[in-house]
Amino acid sequence: MKLAINIENITKTYPGVLANSQVSIKVNSGDIHAIVGENGAGKSTLMKILYGMVKPDSGNIEIFEKKANMSSPKDAINLGIGMVHQHFMLAKNLTVLENIILGIDKPFLKNIKLSKYRTEIQKVMELYSLDIDLNQYVDELSVGEKQRVEIIKVLYRGAKILILDEPTAVLVPQEVEELFNNLRDLKNNGVTVLFISHKLDEVLEIADEISVMRSGQMIDTVVNDNVSKTQLAEMMIGKSLPSPPARVTSTGEKVILKVENIKSTDEDGRTIFEDITFEVNKSEILGIAGVEGNGQKEVVEAIIGIQALDSGKVIFMDNDIEEQGTRERLESGISFIPEDRQLQAMIMDMNLTNNVIIGRQNIDKYKSSLGTMKMKNAVNESEKVISSFDVKTPGTSTLATALSGGNQQKFVVGRELEDNPSLLIASQPTRGIDIGAQALIWEKLRNSRDEGLSVLLISADLEELIGLSDRIIVFYQGKLVKELDAENVTPEDLGGYMTGLKKWKWDLGLWVSLHQLLLWQFRLD
């Protein structure tokens, strides 16, 4: 079988870090080939090298059995390689068509023959069974549809090798199934897919071959038919895949957080969310489910004082905190793990000692009566977090940017829990991290909950949401549409409510029943 990719002995070092060590991998043309491994295993570096974003120290790459020298993504695109990143690179205020052709021609859209491009793009969509409304604005699309636009964009540019970085991280089960159907169609049309993921169930469902990386090295490549999830996990981390155990403690009766009929609009007067009411009890994990963009992110920001409210109340520990600023709310016993650790939780060019102080500059632990910082306390606190959460780092003076994503996340979670809050708001606490780091964070959240902590958990990982939560509330189009018992719900049920399918099915059933009742009444008359 013809090789689409032949990577031989790739090595890449950064100061103090061996990112890739003599990595070799062969990918057959027309295969779906998965690459798995923990954070820091070297997957991202290898993909950046393949896409021309990073230059290796040594080694060779062949694309379709011809030696390739790539110094930029443009070189990779010219060789037929396209990459869809985990965080989409789309202009929300442009249409699907405009996003696909952006950068192809001169920057003045008035000079572009849109009808010509529309016809060519529609042919690509028909060839690969990828359907989307080219006139729709990207801001109006679901997460799955945005991902489809990214795939169409690289295919239109001639990609025969498609790199997908964590493509299911923010998709509900129904969207994952649709994506996999699209990938199978791409495969049938000769496209080679590199599938980077932490979700072993999905890897085993879609991949022809699976390569496992650990500590910058290629451990093995196996045929899907000959491997189990347990074997893959053991190759990755040396132990089986963790799963959240059943809850063993009971929720307290005391209400820690009460949200009453809150509503918020944007600067144009459009409703972001409305009529949101829920409570979080002591020693309870309340999960929030919802496709990205349905208001849950803004509700969380309203609770900590970032998002302004038009109406409603937020009551924490029996106190109305509506007039309090974000700093006052955090200092009163609320801890917050934001969804983007690098943009919102850490200053990447600062060391871990300074990062442990962020947002805590005014508390007695760190601020002296003279207004100076108690740096010794900060060093001790960062050492405590590093030890308790198994953060892999040379020491507290290490810059945050030098840590892998999983270790950054463990540090952020540890910092927030070490404050002993009454309420922890955890937004995507394990997004984009490996199963080892995920297992540790799950354990810490469960233990803290059992010791009396209340948790508001927002997660796109439905297994995590169901496994950790006591109750789950679902957001759809800015409204709270359903509350569910976590013990009796499936990912498919959750996905149905998150995408509006469950509501639609119920409405249809009600309409049919009413229709039949009217017919029956008409016959009686």
Side-chain angles (χ1 to χ4, degrees), residues 204-248:
L204 289 169
E205 180 180 346
I206 194 64
D208 297 299
E209 291 189 322
I210 304 164
S211 293
V212 181
M213 295 188 69
R214 185 171 69 235
S215 301
Q217 297 181 319
M218 184 62 65
I219 301 302
D220 199 3
T221 295
V222 294
V223 178
N224 194 345
D225 292 342
N226 301 327
V227 69
S228 68
K229 183 168 70 173
T230 300
Q231 290 171 322
L232 284 178
E234 288 175 348
M235 283 191 282
M236 287 171 59
I237 62 172
K239 57 185 178 181
S240 59
L241 183 68
S243 58
R247 179 177 169 79
V248 295

Side-chain angles (χ1 to χ4, degrees), residues 9-14 17-20 49 54-59:
N9 301 319
I10 288 292
T11 294
K12 177 64 182 178
T13 57
Y14 296 100
V17 178
L18 180 60
N20 286 156
I49 290 172
V54 171
K55 193 168 183 64
D57 299 333
S58 61

Side-chain angles (χ1 to χ4, degrees), residues 90 96 132-133 136-143 145-146 149:
L90 299 172
V96 171
I132 197 84
D133 182 357
Q136 196 166 4
Y137 283 92
V138 164
D139 196 32
E140 301 169 349
L141 302 179
S142 69
V143 177
E145 289 172 328
K146 290 175 184 176
V149 174

